[in-house]
Amino acid sequence: MKTFLNIGALARYQQNKTFVMSVAMSALVAVLSMVLAVLVNWIFALVWLLILVVMVGFLVRQLILSSQDSDSYLEELTHRVKVGQQEAVLQMPIGVILLDDERVVWVNPYLQEMMGGRDLIGDVLSDSEPSLVKAMNDESHPTVNWLDHSFELVYQKDLGTLYLLDVSENVALEANLQNHRLVTGIVSVDNYEEVTEGMPDSETSMLRTEVTGQLTEWAKKYDMYVRRLSPVTYLLMGYQQDLQKAENDKFSVVKTVRDSTAQKNSPLTLSMGIAYGEKDINSLVQLAQTNLDLALGRGGDQVVVKDDESPARFYGGTTNPMEKRTRVRARVISQTIAELIDQADQVFVVGHRSPDLDAIGSAMGLWRFSQTRHKKAFVVVDEDHIFSDIQSLLRAVRHADPEDPVPGENLGASVISEKEALDRATDQSLLILVDHSKAQLTGAPELLNELAGRLVVIDHHRLGEDGLADKPLLTYIEPYASSTSELVTELLQYQNQKGAAITRLEATAMLGGIQVDTKNFVLRTGSRTFDAASYLRANGADNELIQSFLKEKFGDFKARAELIANAEVRDATAISVGDNDTVYGGVITAQAADELLQIEGVKASFVLTKRQDGRVGISARSNGEFNVQTVMEDLGGGGHLSNAATQMADVTTDEAYQELIKAIEGQEAEEASI
């Protein structure tokens, strides 16, 4: 009876309100049926009552028994789940570490077995395994290498529980997939046509065989496939793991080919563009060609390795580029530029920020080029940020103009600001960048953004990776040339100047650009440089006028002398650091670096000064034995192997000096490993 009346023994679901209401309704129906039975016949009512009592008793009994069976089943299930959980923690292939703060209080047997005889319990995890603590603070469930395995970490901070899922097999499969992704390269013999010009066929064939043999032997060493497509082009294919080996070797084949052919008095150099990471083979080959163009734009004799997202990696490029421009190419470029000018309604020529004589001289040369095509042209200059030599030149140009100068047709009236250029520019205008190929260096950034789709670049600096966002219509970059003025002078000679002849001041400005960039025909001077200078002299270029433009103020002379006096020489490198509170002009900084290079035993010079815009400028020079270009590129700049510069923001001159020392030491370590 006690069990029968034990309502509390019912299952929990049988004690809820819905169930109780259902039972109450059934009881009400039974009572009503009993009342009706009494009204009909008391004997019938008595029999019906007995039947109801028996039925209710049977149902209640069955409910209680069912509830007891359910409770027993649930208790058994709960026990099995708890046992399963305990066994899983002890036996499943997941490492578990319980922590009290950072102290290990328990390690599950699976992880303990992987640790061998080592006991981690009681250790402070940050002391014994700092890599795990670092990964614990990363909410992205990182993968960490530990105990010769790869684990994915999940940390429950509120429970102090660290879970380590062994994903070594997945990591190995992913690594194998990455290692066997396709790598494509295009190899170019930089100066084959120049070296083999006039050479007998037998010697030419032997030279080709020498290059092909060296390249094939090197490729075989690193399990790569190479095939010659033309006398100057090779296709290179391999896997990403082979590329890594070749990078560790720093592509020694470039130096091998250069040295072996030089011994035969026919020095050839190789350039390579290597691409990886692309799933589509067409995209991969296209990227390889882009990388090769970058290598050639930097002067050749080097390798550029890059995927579509990562920064480029450069190997080689430690020698001065050889002169390999032909007059045929110069004539073709001249004709192409003429056609682009003919298609435009007007032309804008822009140099770099704070332009020097080379930038302004070449811009004036291209203005004259446009006049030979009877097209209006403008030289865009920010006259608020120019040095005294450019100020003197512009005064002379404007003084020489006729009484009624016409903008676009007379040079003095054609030197305009960026704002004026933006007001004049149309969708059919052509923009020519001279003496630079980087958007961050341009003297008219808004105009560049406006005319990015109608752009020509003419420069003599090595091409940098972070160049222009949009591909120009034409890029004429010759890193071996002395100056951009030299390149423009050659282009101008192939145009008919009848009725639009170059003037004395224009020739003087261009010759001044050549003289400034070659340090009076001392650095980077080839036979073509003297040819250009001869042409300019024949057209009235005045050396005395150039010297009058370049005369400096006594204060500038004194400031340069102070920088030279502050210089220190360490390991054949002269470094001068200007006072952080003193502002120096860019020309003074560059001149100080030039003069420091004249000191006996100095192979490279660096001068660091505070600029007017608050940044620290660094001018770098070398005698060709040390690559200052790569040092400046490490600090965000660029230039040539022997002449480079950079500008660093948000640093003092002393902080910039420390960064420079790190970059120099990195360059020295790089050269020592080659």
Side-chain angles (χ1 to χ4, degrees):
M1 190 68 178
K2 182 178 180 181
T3 303
F4 181 82
L5 296 176
N6 187 10
I7 302 302
L10 292 173
R12 185 173 299 174
Y13 74 87
Q14 296 166 343
Q15 299 179 35
N16 64 40
K17 292 182 179 180
T18 303
F19 181 76
V20 172
M21 289 295 295
S22 300
V23 172
M25 292 295 294
S26 299
L28 180 62
V29 171
V31 171
L32 291 175
S33 65
M34 188 63 201
V35 171
L36 290 174
V38 170
L39 294 175
V40 173
N41 187 291
W42 68 270
I43 297 176
F44 177 74
L46 182 61
V47 173
W48 181 243
L49 177 62
L50 292 174
I51 292 173
L52 287 177
V53 169
V54 172
M55 289 177 61
V56 170
F58 177 78
L59 289 174
V60 171
R61 179 63 180 173
Q62 291 301 314
L63 284 172
I64 293 174
L65 291 176
S66 173
S67 174
Q68 291 173 344
D69 289 343
S70 298
D71 289 344
S72 298
Y73 173 76
L74 291 175
E75 288 177 3
E76 180 183 357
L77 181 61
T78 302
H79 174 72
R80 291 176 62 188
V81 169
K82 288 182 178 179
V83 172
Q85 288 176 338
Q86 294 172 355
E87 290 297 318
V89 171
L90 295 175
Q91 302 297 332
M92 70 179 177
I94 297 179
V96 181
I97 299 177
L98 294 182
L99 301 170
D100 184 4
D101 289 333
E102 287 191 4
R103 190 174 298 278
V104 179
V105 296
W106 183 76
V107 177
N108 74 328
Y110 171 77
L111 187 58
Q112 188 64 58
E113 182 179 350
M114 296 182 67
M115 296 174 63
R118 181 182 172 189
D119 187 7
L120 198 62
I121 296 176
D123 289 357
V124 176
L125 203 61
S126 59
D127 295 335
S128 59
E129 298 296 340
S131 61
L132 292 183
V133 175
K134 182 179 179 181
M136 285 163 51
N137 297 325
D138 189 341
E139 297 180 358
S140 62
H141 305 323
T143 299
V144 63
N145 294 321
W146 186 49
L147 303 176
D148 298 325
H149 288 259
S150 296
F151 294 101
E152 181 181 329
L153 267 64
V154 178
Y155 180 49
Q156 290 183 310
K157 188 174 182 179
D158 54 338
L159 300 177
T161 306
L162 178 63
Y163 300 97
L164 298 97
L165 177 63
D166 190 352
V167 292
S168 301
E169 186 175 348
N170 292 345
V171 170
L173 288 172
E174 185 177 352
N176 185 62
L177 176 63
Q178 283 294 118
N179 288 337
H180 287 84
R181 294 189 72 175
L182 190 63
V183 169
T184 299
I186 300 178
V187 185
S188 172
V189 184
D190 298 333
N191 53 336
Y192 177 82
E193 294 180 358
E194 290 76 16
V195 170
T196 59
E197 186 176 2
M199 185 180 290
D201 290 343
S202 58
E203 293 184 21
T204 302
S205 178
M206 290 178 61
L207 198 59
R208 283 202 305 266
T209 302
E210 172 74 16
V211 174
T212 303
Q214 294 280 6
L215 192 56
T216 302
E217 184 179 346
W218 173 83
K220 185 177 180 181
K221 179 181 177 181
Y222 294 104
D223 300 319
M224 291 187 176
Y225 171 80
V226 64
R227 183 173 183 83
R228 184 161 62 90
L229 304 179
S230 73
V232 297
T233 310
Y234 296 81
L235 175 67
L236 188 68
M237 300 188 73
Y239 292 125
Q240 206 156 311
Q241 62 183 8
D242 305 323
L243 173 62
Q244 185 60 56
K245 296 175 186 176
E247 288 193 75
N248 293 337
D249 175 57
K250 301 187 185 303
F251 292 90
S252 60
V253 67
V254 174
K255 184 176 184 298
T256 301
V257 169
R258 183 174 65 242
D259 293 346
S260 64
T261 54
Q263 292 175 0
K264 296 178 173 57
N265 297 319
S266 303
L268 295 176
T269 60
L270 298 181
S271 291
M272 297 187 193
I274 310 291
Y276 65 97
E278 292 287 338
K279 295 180 180 179
D280 177 53
I281 187 66
N282 292 320
S283 300
L284 196 65
V285 174
Q286 187 175 9
L287 180 58
Q289 182 62 56
T290 300
N291 293 344
L292 176 62
D293 293 341
L294 177 57
L296 294 172
R298 292 168 56 86
D301 191 28
Q302 59 189 281
V303 182
V304 175
V305 181
K306 187 182 183 302
D307 65 3
D308 196 36
E309 298 178 353
S310 304
R313 301 188 292 278
F314 302 100
Y315 300 91
T318 57
T319 59
N320 275 314
M322 300 177 61
E323 185 168 331
K324 47 187 176 287
R325 177 176 84 223
T326 64
R327 294 193 181 278
V328 173
R329 182 167 187 243
R331 185 173 66 251
V332 171
I333 292 293
S334 179
Q335 184 59 37
T336 304
I337 293 176
E339 292 173 359
L340 291 173
I341 290 176
D342 290 344
Q343 296 167 9
D345 60 354
Q346 57 190 333
V347 179
F348 297 96
V349 189
V350 177
H352 51 74
R353 287 196 307 263
S354 301
D356 56 9
L357 265 179
D358 186 33
I360 293 296
S362 56
M364 290 182 174
L366 284 167
W367 180 89
R368 173 55 58 188
F369 190 114
S370 301
Q371 301 307 304
T372 67
R373 310 303 301 180
H374 308 292
K375 193 72 64 173
K376 282 191 174 184
F378 301 89
V379 177
V380 183
V381 180
D382 180 4
E383 296 192 47
D384 293 332
H385 297 89
I386 57 176
F387 300 111
S388 58
D389 54 346
I390 307 303
Q391 292 173 351
S392 300
L393 172 62
L394 294 183
R395 280 197 300 268
V397 168
R398 284 167 176 154
H399 181 73
D401 256 355
E403 293 183 1
D404 297 316
V406 180
E409 297 180 10
N410 296 109
L411 180 55
S414 300
V415 179
I416 62 175
S417 67
E418 181 180 18
K419 184 179 183 304
E420 293 176 275
L422 287 169
D423 292 339
R424 292 178 177 273
T426 69
D427 292 340
Q428 298 301 314
S429 300
L430 181 68
L431 176 63
I432 304 179
L433 300 185
V434 293
D435 205 32
H436 70 291
S437 59
K438 292 184 177 181
Q440 61 266 39
L441 296 180
T442 192
E446 293 184 36
L447 185 63
L448 173 59
N449 186 60
E450 182 78 17
L451 299 178
R454 300 279 301 167
L455 181 64
V456 171
V457 176
I458 303 176
D459 191 16
H460 72 115
H461 297 97
R462 292 193 180 195
L463 184 64
E465 180 192 356
D466 53 340
L468 299 165
D470 298 304
K471 189 174 182 179
L473 298 174
L474 176 66
T475 300
Y476 187 39
I477 296 179
E478 301 293 352
Y480 55 85
S482 70
S483 57
T484 308
S485 292
E486 176 189 330
L487 296 174
V488 173
T489 300
E490 283 195 346
L491 299 178
L492 193 56
Q493 292 180 58
Y494 293 106
Q495 297 303 309
N496 182 5
Q497 297 181 32
K498 186 176 181 180
I502 186 173
T503 66
R504 167 177 169 269
L505 275 174
E506 293 161 4
T508 299
M510 297 173 72
L511 182 59
I514 296 175
Q515 287 189 8
V516 166
D517 271 25
T518 59
K519 312 306 175 194
N520 288 320
F521 300 97
V522 173
L523 300 177
R524 299 186 307 279
T525 305
S527 60
R528 304 283 283 278
T529 308
F530 290 105
D531 290 344
S534 176
Y535 171 81
L536 294 172
R537 286 284 289 168
N539 281 273
D542 189 340
N543 277 324
E544 293 183 2
L545 188 56
I546 293 173
Q547 294 308 310
S548 70
F549 292 154
L550 295 176
K551 281 185 178 181
E552 59 185 333
K553 299 175 182 178
F554 176 72
D556 294 342
F557 178 84
K558 185 177 178 181
R560 185 173 72 252
E562 289 174 353
L563 288 173
I564 295 171
N566 290 336
E568 295 182 357
V569 179
R570 55 182 293 273
D571 299 329
T573 301
I575 303 178
S576 175
V577 182
D579 187 86
N580 193 63
D581 296 326
T582 304
V583 175
Y584 293 86
V587 173
I588 296 172
T589 304
Q591 290 174 342
D594 290 331
E595 294 194 26
L596 286 174
L597 194 61
Q598 306 306 313
I599 299 174
E600 184 178 0
V602 171
K603 296 180 180 179
S605 63
F606 299 88
V607 179
L608 300 83
T609 60
K610 201 73 170 184
R611 292 167 47 90
Q612 191 171 6
D613 58 11
R615 293 182 291 181
V616 173
I618 304 179
S619 286
R621 302 290 186 269
S622 83
N623 61 359
E625 297 182 37
F626 186 85
N627 192 343
V628 295
Q629 177 202 2
T630 54
V631 174
M632 292 296 97
E633 284 181 338
D634 288 342
L635 299 177
H640 292 283
L641 180 144
S642 58
N643 185 335
T646 189
Q647 297 168 12
M648 302 175 65
D650 303 321
V651 295
T652 64
T653 53
D654 289 335
E655 291 170 343
Y657 170 76
Q658 297 299 327
E659 294 295 321
L660 174 64
I661 293 299
K662 292 179 183 177
I664 292 174
E665 291 175 347
Q667 174 69 19
E668 290 173 343
E670 180 79 13
E671 292 183 352
S673 64
I674 297 178

